[in-house]
Amino acid sequence: MNPRDSSSSSPSDRRLSALARHLSSPSAAGVGGGVSRSLASSSSFARGDSVFSHVARAPEDPILGVTVAFNKDPSPVKLNLGVGAYRTEEGKPLVLNVVRQAEQQLINDRARVKEYLPIVGLVEFNKLSAKLIFGADSPAILENRVTTVQCLSGTGSLRVGGEFLARHYHQHTIYIPKPTWGNHPKVFTLAGLSVKYYRYYDPATRGLDFQGLLEDLGSAPLGAVVLLHACAHNPTGVDPTIQQWEQIRQLIRSRRQLPFFDSAYQGFASGNLDADAQSIRSFVADGGECLVAQSYAKNMGLYGERVGALSIVCRTADVAGRVESQLKLVIRPMYSNPPIHGASIVAAILRDREMYNEWTIELKAMADRIISMRHQLFDALRARGTPGDWSHIIKQIGMFTFTGLNSQQVAFMTKEYHIYMTSDGRISMAGLSSKTVPHLADAIHAAVARAV
Ligand code: KET
């Protein structure tokens, strides 16, 4: 059933129908002096009540709200391990050298203008993004079976993909891993899909619940959409092995399910862009269809530029062309067309062999620093004799360690040690440095000792 047809319509539908009601009501015809006079004389207006006085305060976002709380803390030892954003050894945000170089090139080029981009974004950026994720020799690209549209980073790509599926795909249920990035269920629900979970993580082993995953996808309906993290699963840091990916692929294909990859960390898992795209490439190699949401927030450090891409791999070039025409109808009323600056930076780097190579070196350095933080934290906990097996810190992959600390322990660490992290016990390893590891290890040690 299309949720748009049901009474539980999406907020945007509700907004539209409220607008339609207003426009067809008799009072709307006389908008102007009459309306403002009657408002001015009403007692509630005279009392100064707001028409929004019924609006309840919403809670802060579980991830971005951590930074809000961190910013309010005056402590000099405070440490933000909440949001997944890379920091240097000095704890500072990093703009890659190659990004600075690309920006300089853009500024020097006086022929550049600030015209609107097409609805689908910068065409060269789209082509290069598809090559980056699928591989330059991908048959799907060579056969023109891929449509790629520039979107507002990973989140925007997921949202546009979700809305396209809600309008044009026969199944409206998307299966997402449990747990997953906290924004996934909200993005897909508001896009008009209904969200269900498949088992992914086993807290007992702190590893993949592979059996549970196979059972849940095996009993999910034929044709269901399945959201997969391409690599560096957030928040668990647990990825399937190549053999497990192969089994997942066979199962999904045998059930004619539609894979939707979220690739927010290409290059951040292994330090190698091709290795981190392997899961996606194996699904494209079998000739089947899939969606991919790409983000350049982490791997190029372009967080605030909001640059990403949605690709849909189709069976034929003809279908891909029609799909693209419909994606434009999703995007145009949403934000019309995407911003030009971030996509131009990415295109400048991806098109130039030297800059591309420099990027891969800087990317590997970021990935390596995160891995070194894992080892330092693990060693620090061992040195303190902190109870428990902490080997998952060095086994997990990507930006985050899913510590296993519970929400009370997290609250304790925030209150007593001014360490900020999400309440599920996830820490962003990229926010850590050699200088801050001892402070974090002390806090974890105290939190664990308190609970035993
Ligand atoms: N997918 C995943 C899995 C993900 O972790 C993020 C961001 C995104 C998509 C979206 O990123 P974008 O900036 O839209 O390209 N995650 C980090 C930041 C956030 O929550 O917005 C995080 O988990 O900390």
Side-chain angles (χ1 to χ4, degrees):
M1 187 191 66
N2 184 343
R4 283 167 190 277
D5 300 332
S6 75
S7 55
S8 61
S9 56
S10 72
S12 56
D13 286 346
R14 285 198 295 274
R15 278 199 302 274
L16 281 177
S17 46
L19 184 65
R21 270 199 309 279
H22 171 73
L23 290 176
S24 61
S25 75
S27 63
V31 179
V35 170
S36 51
R37 254 195 317 280
S38 70
L39 274 180
S41 62
S42 87
S43 58
S44 72
F45 187 79
R47 276 206 315 274
D49 276 359
S50 167
V51 293
F52 304 117
S53 50
H54 62 287
V55 174
R57 180 170 303 280
E60 290 286 357
D61 180 81
I63 298 175
L64 301 184
V66 173
T67 303
V68 175
F70 171 82
N71 287 339
K72 286 186 192 150
D73 187 338
S75 166
V77 298
K78 67 180 178 176
L79 186 56
N80 187 1
L81 305 176
V83 68
Y86 186 81
R87 297 284 178 270
T88 62
E89 258 294 297
E90 289 69 46
K92 297 274 184 316
L94 177 68
V95 180
L96 299 185
N97 279 328
V98 74
V99 166
R100 295 250 190 242
Q101 234 175 290
E103 284 189 310
Q104 200 55 57
Q105 251 184 30
L106 297 176
I107 289 169
N108 292 345
D109 181 356
R110 301 295 297 175
R112 283 183 56 76
V113 290
K114 303 278 187 192
E115 288 291 279
Y116 289 131
L117 285 180
I119 297 172
V120 296
L122 196 64
V123 173
E124 188 193 13
F125 163 87
N126 291 339
K127 290 210 171 99
L128 292 165
S129 294
K131 271 194 192 170
L132 181 69
I133 196 75
F134 299 119
D137 53 357
S138 164
I141 295 180
L142 300 175
E143 292 157 15
N144 285 320
R145 295 190 285 111
V146 184
T147 170
T148 304
V149 293
Q150 180 193 333
C151 294
L152 304 188
S153 214
T155 310
S157 308
L158 293 164
R159 179 69 186 260
V160 169
E163 297 226 359
F164 170 80
L165 292 175
R167 287 189 199 183
H168 299 287
Y169 187 59
H170 66 91
Q171 269 274 353
H172 288 119
T173 307
I174 184 163
Y175 282 74
I176 64 177
K178 195 172 183 68
T180 191
W181 180 48
N183 216 16
H184 277 149
K186 300 173 198 172
V187 166
F188 292 122
T189 304
L190 286 172
L193 298 173
S194 72
V195 168
K196 291 211 166 115
Y197 288 88
Y198 62 87
R199 277 172 283 170
Y200 188 85
Y201 177 76
D202 181 357
T205 62
R206 295 203 170 122
L208 186 68
D209 181 358
F210 191 48
Q211 209 46 46
L213 178 151
L214 294 179
E215 278 171 30
D216 289 352
L217 293 186
S219 60
L222 289 172
V225 186
V226 180
L227 190 279
L228 299 158
H229 294 227
C231 68
H233 182 276
N234 177 9
T236 67
V238 173
D239 283 351
T241 62
I242 292 181
Q243 292 77 11
Q244 286 169 333
W245 269 119
E246 181 51 21
Q247 272 179 270
I248 295 169
R249 189 189 64 76
Q250 286 177 12
L251 176 64
I252 286 180
R253 290 310 190 200
S254 74
R255 308 228 8 108
R256 302 192 192 299
Q257 292 162 346
L258 183 61
F260 190 161
F261 284 97
D262 182 353
S263 177
Y265 300 94
Q266 187 184 2
F268 250 96
S270 66
N272 181 297
L273 288 156
D274 292 310
D276 288 356
Q278 216 36 58
S279 57
I280 295 176
R281 291 180 190 177
S282 73
F283 276 77
V284 176
D286 69 15
E289 303 183 304
C290 67
L291 288 81
V292 180
Q294 263 173 284
S295 166
Y296 290 97
K298 330 277 170 162
N299 58 12
M300 272 196 201
L302 292 175
Y303 306 90
E305 295 291 353
R306 312 307 295 143
V307 53
L310 170 73
S311 287
I312 306 189
V313 179
C314 305
R315 286 268 185 209
T316 67
D318 178 47
V319 173
R322 282 182 277 135
V323 165
E324 180 163 314
S325 72
Q326 289 294 338
L327 286 172
K328 286 158 74 173
L329 297 192
V330 173
I331 293 167
R332 172 65 168 149
M334 202 190 274
Y335 54 82
S336 192
N337 48 71
I340 196 167
H341 189 67
S344 305
I345 296 172
V346 174
I349 294 170
L350 296 184
R351 86 161 77 90
D352 182 285
R353 181 171 291 277
E354 246 173 62
M355 287 171 89
Y356 180 91
N357 288 341
E358 186 172 341
W359 173 44
T360 60
I361 293 166
E362 291 191 72
L363 179 56
K364 175 90 170 57
M366 290 193 284
D368 284 349
R369 200 185 82 72
I370 293 172
I371 291 168
S372 132
M373 285 306 113
R374 291 187 179 283
H375 287 279
Q376 291 186 29
L377 179 61
F378 177 69
D379 292 345
L381 290 172
R382 266 230 305 234
R384 282 162 182 73
T386 308
D389 173 8
W390 296 95
S391 61
H392 55 287
I393 295 178
I394 44 182
K395 284 189 209 135
Q396 292 172 353
I397 294 162
M399 230 174 193
F400 304 107
T401 289
F402 205 44
T403 57
L405 295 164
N406 61 36
S407 57
Q408 288 98 318
Q409 290 168 324
V410 170
F412 167 81
M413 286 166 58
T414 305
K415 185 159 176 279
E416 302 297 330
Y417 288 81
H418 306 275
I419 292 174
Y420 290 79
M421 55 201 272
T422 52
S423 62
D424 59 1
R426 182 191 89 165
I427 58 180
S428 172
M429 298 306 285
L432 214 51
S433 71
S434 305
K435 276 186 240 92
T436 51
V437 161
H439 182 55
L440 175 61
D442 288 345
I444 294 178
H445 188 84
V448 171
R450 226 172 133 257
V452 280

